[in-house]
Amino acid sequence: GKWHQGVNCESFSDHCHHPLNHGFDYFYGMPFTLLNNCQENKPPELDVALQAKLWLYSQIITLAVLTLTAGKLTGLISIPWKIIACFTLAGSLFFISWYSSYGFVQYWNCILMRNHDVTEQPMRLERTASLMLKEAVSFIKRNRHGPFLLFVSFLHVHTPLFTTAKFLGKSHHGLYGDNVEEMDWMVGKILDSLDKEGLKNHTFTYFASDHGGHLEAQDGSAQLGGWNGIYKGGKGMGGWEGGIRVPGVFRWPGVLPAGTVIDEPTSLMDIYPTVVHLAGGILPQDRVIDGRNLVPLLQGRAQKSEHEFLFHYCGSYLHAVRWHQKDSGAIWKAHYVTPVFHPPGGGACYGKGVCPCFGEGVTHHDPPLLFDLSRDPSEAKPLSADTEPLFDTVIRKIGRATEEHRRTLTPVPEQLSLYNVVWKPWLQPCCGTFPFCWCDKEGDSA
């Protein structure tokens, strides 16, 4: 499925960020992320505001060159042809430099890989779901006689909401609902393959989402990014519950009790220590491991989550901290930073596509906004020293935990700097001879 962690560092073939260089033995999927650009007849999604500015600058340069040329030809302007030629060359280089990045996103970004080989460039979305499902089922069949870890990261319920004809109009919730229906069907097929291979009672299965609904994803009045119920905020908001509170669904017949509902705060970081435990491994002892083994909680041997504090980031910026007070059962959350909603009170950043993590698009709170999620899960009523007797005590406790947490962090190079995220032709995965990168090696197996 979707990797979205990058591929190369220094050359088009070093594969430093590739899954096979990070512990996986096999990879099939999309190394980047799904964008509107991946689908025909969709408005571009990548850096739309920046593209508009670059188009404007290109038009201004073109107009200036045409004006100088007309003035020179009519004798109204005395300017050497060399200067006009330099303007023309500079303008052409400027246009080529940015249009080569943004004008061919479908070819540069929307690709499928099998291990290190590009198999589709650009990918054909109408058959991607069937290809992903086929790979997952095939992997289970190949590895049915030994232990395996299968990680499937669906492209579904991510815009563009491409849904195959079989599921169009099937739900009562528009294209988003149709997309959910198709993903649900794919999950069912994967579980069916486990059952067929006799692995149902021997396989730990965990289904979850990486974030809440993308509220800003809309097409007119149609909501394309889901809905977060009573929870405030959504995707891209590192603090509000709507951005980070997602359900987890587990299955392991005979080991985990069926029909159990656990209302305890856990984290997707818990996957790692849980898998290490199930595989009989030992966690590294030379670093702080933020995750916790979920098995005791899932089996009912533990009644409380091992997480006392959870730290919620937006990018590399700490926005909120959650304290699970074990003795009282209260779940406090302090917001140090919150996004500025647009329009005000709108619950999302509809004018920006996604809320920013820093700068003028956020508000810093001192003292922080404090909520007791056990009483106010929708974070509607911030507490204060006047309304909550424990306010100062809770803020101090969370503050000390935050300081201790920061001491465990090791500085690393910034991977999301402008230089690192801008398109570089020498790093581009290509199934042909660059820049002629197009192929379809999946046609026979689709």
Side-chain angles (χ1 to χ4, degrees), residues 23 41 48 85 91 98 107 119 124 152 226 266 282 289 292-293 333 339 357 369 384-385 394 401 417:
N41 304 318
V48 176
W98 74 262
Y107 286 90
T119 61
R124 293 174 56 180
V152 181
T266 62
I282 300 174
I289 301 296
R292 300 290 185 267
N293 176 20
K333 192 164 72 170
C357 297
L369 297 178
S384 67
V394 171
S417 64

Side-chain angles (χ1 to χ4, degrees), residues 357-371:
C357 297
F358 62 96
E360 296 180 356
V362 302
T363 300
H364 294 264
H365 301 281
D366 186 14
L369 297 178
L370 181 68
F371 300 92

Side-chain angles (χ1 to χ4, degrees), residues 49 170 172 194 215 228 247 253-254 263 267 279 335 355 382 398 426 429 446:
K170 187 173 182 179
H172 296 292
L194 291 173
L215 301 181
N228 297 318
D263 187 17
S267 166
H335 290 260
C355 286
I398 292 177
W426 58 91

Side-chain angles (χ1 to χ4, degrees), residues 270-328:
D270 297 335
I271 294 174
Y272 173 58
T274 302
V275 168
V276 169
H277 168 79
L278 294 174
I282 300 174
L283 289 172
Q285 302 299 306
D286 61 343
R287 70 202 70 178
V288 174
I289 301 296
D290 294 305
R292 300 290 185 267
N293 176 20
L294 289 172
V295 174
L297 185 66
L298 295 174
Q299 288 185 319
R301 292 186 283 115
Q303 300 303 312
K304 297 289 184 181
S305 167
E306 287 189 38
H307 290 286
E308 183 177 9
F309 294 95
L310 285 170
F311 303 90
H312 302 303
Y313 282 81
C314 184
S316 58
Y317 299 88
L318 182 65
H319 275 206
V321 180
R322 180 187 313 253
W323 176 28
H324 188 203
Q325 192 174 3
K326 302 296 177 65
D327 53 354
S328 70

